[in-house]
Amino acid sequence: MNKRWVTLMAIATMATTMLSACGGDKEEKKNAAPEDLNSKLEVSWLNILHTASPPTDTIKSLLEEYTNSKITFNWVPDASKEERITTALASGELADIVTLTMMTNSSVRSSLKSGLFWDVGPYLSEFSNLAKIAPELKEAASIEGVLYGVPFQKNLARSGLIFRKDWLDKLGLPVPKTLDEVYEVARAFTEDDPDGNGVKDTTGFGDRSELKYSSFKTLSSYFGTPNGWKVEDSGKFIPEFDTQEYIDTMNFSRKLYENGYLAQDFAVTAKTDQQQQFAQGKTGIYTGMVDISSLRTLAQDLQPGMELVPVNKISNGDGQYHIWSEGSGIGGLMAFPKSEVKTEAELKRLLKFVNDLIDEKAFMLMTGGIEGTHYEYDENGAFKILNTELWQADVQPFSSSRPSEIAYTLKDANPEKQLANELIRENDKFAVLDPTVPLDSATNNEQGTELQKIITDATFKYIMGQSDEAAFKKAVQTWKDSGGTKITEEYEAAYKLTQK
């Protein structure tokens, strides 16, 4: 072997060693040493998009600067998230961070339990913001005691109704406090020409093609329906749709529909269309107080005289208040697949990134944008958007990606939005939790999504007058026979273990 060959071999060996030490390929570059949590991070994020278009790079660049990272977003439109996320889970086409919001989806739960994602529970205490996540929130976000991602922290219950206040005033109606008053408002908004144009072209309730985020779930809360499941003192589980309160809600909704007080096309209407109908003055009642600013923005050029009032407390006449809680304050998980995040060191660097997103600086970037450009504080210290169109393009898509919506409280300059925020916080006092959130059922993981379609279809048919109570109860029995009974038994067994 000649001297030149020996020299070349030595150089090659040295180069290989240096590449290995410095992270010569993409995988090694991502794997920061455990003590190097401030190193530059390249992170891919499979995330849900709740707006019509992805954001510009304006805020993304500032977030990258603040978190010392380069972020590649793979945006999934909210309308197609179920198909896209389940396909990604099945194919393994994932990212460093995967936003999972469908925590009751059978494919999602099965993937979580399969060991596809890291258990982050043991690491949260190492990071200042993540360490502050309340124990009950971590418990609610866990499956059989394992936390498969950083929970998105939200208020316990954000639901409620929004009414056209200007229509109420024109018709001499008070803001409703009971279900009977809600029905009367829906009737008047349909029959009494609330917009004063002399044409019968308005409907009380706008709605959309789902049970959970439509008027039905909120109305069912007002009737006292359990949230998902009722747990008797004996530990027996009863699904919400097998209760009298659920039947009462269906009868109420059916009466609204039969009389034309509920949008006749609700079963085929998407959320965006529901919002447009409200903004165009076609409907006067909207479900979801959290959307009050979006409705105001959509209507600003269409309904210049529109006034809105959010309402969170509606009783069935007994003076008691109930509102369903989605996920017990958990909006899903920021999960880290082991196929992409291969080492503990890499996981910790990603957790540091998420921790930084909860800092006030990052929170404000994802909420308001740049002070003086997108927002300002008025003389009363209230938060105010300066340029709505610019804010929508640059900032709004990031708001649903904040790891915590409750870390900081802003006073909103819009009194309607400020009231809605206060009512959402007040909902914590009478929020009804779903007892199965921290529990697991293998059958529900495998069949739950498909089985729910039986109930959804049966409920819609009943509301639209296409079936009767006997047919609905037959559908419930079909649910039980097709796996529902097994789901019930598995939840009861899992609940029993938590009571020891």
Side-chain angles (χ1 to χ4, degrees):
M1 185 180 294
N2 60 39
K3 183 181 290 186
R4 181 172 181 273
W5 178 249
V6 171
T7 301
L8 289 173
M9 286 292 291
I11 293 172
T13 301
M14 183 181 297
T16 302
T17 303
M18 289 176 67
L19 283 172
S20 176
C22 298
D25 57 28
K26 180 181 178 183
E27 179 180 314
E28 288 298 323
K29 283 180 182 178
K30 290 166 60 179
N31 294 344
E35 67 276 6
D36 193 14
L37 293 177
N38 294 313
S39 63
K40 183 66 176 284
L41 173 70
E42 291 189 15
V43 54
S44 57
W45 188 347
L46 183 61
N47 204 1
I48 308 300
L49 181 68
H50 292 269
T51 54
S53 303
T56 66
D57 285 341
T58 301
I59 300 303
K60 175 175 169 285
S61 298
L62 293 173
L63 287 172
E64 289 176 331
E65 180 182 345
Y66 184 77
T67 59
N68 192 25
S69 67
K70 180 173 177 54
I71 311 168
T72 300
F73 284 104
N74 182 0
W75 294 104
V76 175
D78 182 62
S80 59
K81 66 183 177 185
E82 187 159 357
E83 177 186 354
R84 293 275 298 276
I85 293 297
T86 53
T87 298
L89 291 173
S91 66
E93 296 292 325
L94 300 170
D96 299 326
I97 303 174
V98 179
T99 294
L100 299 174
T101 58
M102 306 172 296
M103 295 304 293
T104 58
N105 178 278
S106 52
S107 296
V108 170
R109 291 185 76 87
S110 294
S111 295
L112 291 170
K113 287 195 66 181
S114 71
L116 183 64
F117 296 94
W118 282 85
D119 172 10
V120 304
Y123 305 99
L124 298 189
S125 62
E126 300 178 28
F127 304 91
S128 58
N129 292 320
L130 301 181
K132 296 175 185 176
I133 300 175
E136 57 268 22
L137 289 182
K138 288 189 285 188
E139 180 183 354
S142 299
I143 298 177
E144 295 183 334
V146 180
L147 187 58
Y148 292 106
V150 177
F152 285 99
Q153 300 172 71
K154 297 181 179 291
N155 293 101
L156 276 181
R158 302 188 298 167
S159 196
L161 301 177
I162 297 174
F163 294 88
R164 284 287 299 264
K165 178 66 164 56
D166 51 322
W167 286 9
L168 289 173
D169 293 343
K170 183 178 186 301
L171 299 177
L173 294 171
V175 175
K177 297 179 180 179
T178 67
L179 281 165
D180 287 343
E181 291 175 353
V182 169
Y183 185 87
E184 171 56 21
V185 168
R187 183 208 64 76
F189 279 6
T190 307
E191 297 182 345
D192 295 349
D193 191 23
D195 58 1
N197 67 355
V199 181
K200 191 173 182 180
D201 58 356
T202 57
T203 301
F205 268 97
D207 227 330
R208 60 183 185 260
S209 58
E210 53 189 342
L211 286 181
K212 201 170 189 180
Y213 303 108
S214 66
S215 66
F216 187 84
K217 183 74 171 177
T218 296
L219 291 172
S220 75
S221 290
Y222 300 155
F223 274 101
T225 307
N227 183 11
W229 296 80
K230 177 182 180 180
V231 183
E232 296 187 332
D233 292 341
S234 62
K236 178 179 175 60
F237 273 53
I238 300 172
E240 63 180 356
F241 45 81
D242 203 13
T243 65
Q244 183 58 48
E245 292 87 353
Y246 193 95
I247 300 292
D248 292 341
T249 309
M250 287 200 303
N251 286 330
F252 185 86
S253 296
R254 181 171 180 154
K255 189 177 177 183
L256 287 170
Y257 184 84
E258 286 176 344
N259 288 294
Y261 310 154
L262 173 65
Q264 299 296 285
D265 60 350
F266 80 91
V268 293
T269 299
K271 176 183 178 179
T272 52
D273 294 326
Q274 178 195 12
Q275 291 181 328
Q276 285 292 341
Q277 290 170 2
F278 189 91
Q280 293 165 6
K282 295 179 180 179
T283 61
I285 309 173
Y286 181 89
T287 308
M289 293 188 298
V290 70
D291 291 333
I292 196 165
S293 289
S294 299
L295 296 175
R296 165 65 63 190
T297 300
L298 287 171
Q300 62 184 359
D301 296 326
L302 302 171
Q303 302 283 313
M306 184 176 77
E307 295 180 41
L308 304 177
V309 58
V311 178
N312 68 329
K313 294 191 288 191
I314 302 289
S315 79
N316 63 5
D318 63 2
Q320 299 297 308
Y321 303 116
H322 318 275
I323 193 64
W324 70 283
S325 169
E326 181 178 15
S328 300
I330 302 300
L333 296 175
M334 300 176 72
F336 309 90
K338 294 178 180 177
S339 61
E340 308 297 320
V341 185
K342 297 183 182 298
T343 69
E344 184 181 70
E346 186 180 342
L347 173 65
K348 287 186 177 184
R349 179 63 186 91
L350 287 165
L351 289 173
K352 172 65 164 52
F353 168 75
V354 175
N355 184 82
D356 291 345
L357 291 181
I358 304 177
D359 284 349
E360 186 172 8
K361 173 67 174 179
F363 175 87
M364 287 308 303
L365 285 172
M366 300 174 81
T367 303
I370 303 169
E371 186 174 2
T373 300
H374 299 98
Y375 75 94
E376 67 177 3
Y377 295 103
D378 66 16
E379 62 276 9
N380 298 314
F383 172 85
K384 180 181 180 181
I385 299 295
L386 290 173
N387 185 323
T388 299
E389 187 174 336
L390 185 64
W391 177 82
Q392 288 176 321
D394 294 345
V395 186
Q396 188 180 20
F398 288 109
S399 62
S400 60
S401 301
R402 295 171 297 178
S404 176
E405 294 182 6
I406 60 176
Y408 309 96
T409 300
L410 295 175
K411 179 181 179 182
D412 203 289
N414 177 352
E416 295 171 349
K417 176 62 174 173
Q418 178 59 23
L419 177 57
N421 291 342
E422 292 171 3
L423 298 184
I424 287 171
R425 289 192 288 271
E426 186 182 38
N427 276 349
D428 288 357
K429 299 176 183 177
F430 42 87
V432 181
L433 306 186
D434 180 345
T436 66
V437 167
L439 306 179
D440 193 58
S441 158
T443 305
N444 190 64
N445 294 343
E446 296 167 5
Q447 300 176 243
T449 303
E450 290 301 313
L451 289 177
Q452 179 57 40
K453 291 178 181 177
I454 297 173
I455 303 302
T456 300
D457 290 345
T459 303
F460 280 2
K461 286 180 179 178
Y462 188 94
I463 291 172
M464 294 188 290
Q466 297 175 3
S467 70
D468 56 16
E469 189 171 332
F472 178 79
K473 289 186 175 180
K474 183 177 180 181
V476 172
Q477 189 60 50
T478 299
W479 178 88
K480 292 178 179 179
D481 295 341
S482 302
T485 296
K486 194 171 182 182
I487 290 173
T488 305
E489 292 171 348
E490 289 169 354
Y491 276 141
E492 288 173 349
Y495 179 77
K496 187 176 181 180
L497 290 176
T498 68
Q499 303 304 296
K500 291 182 177 180

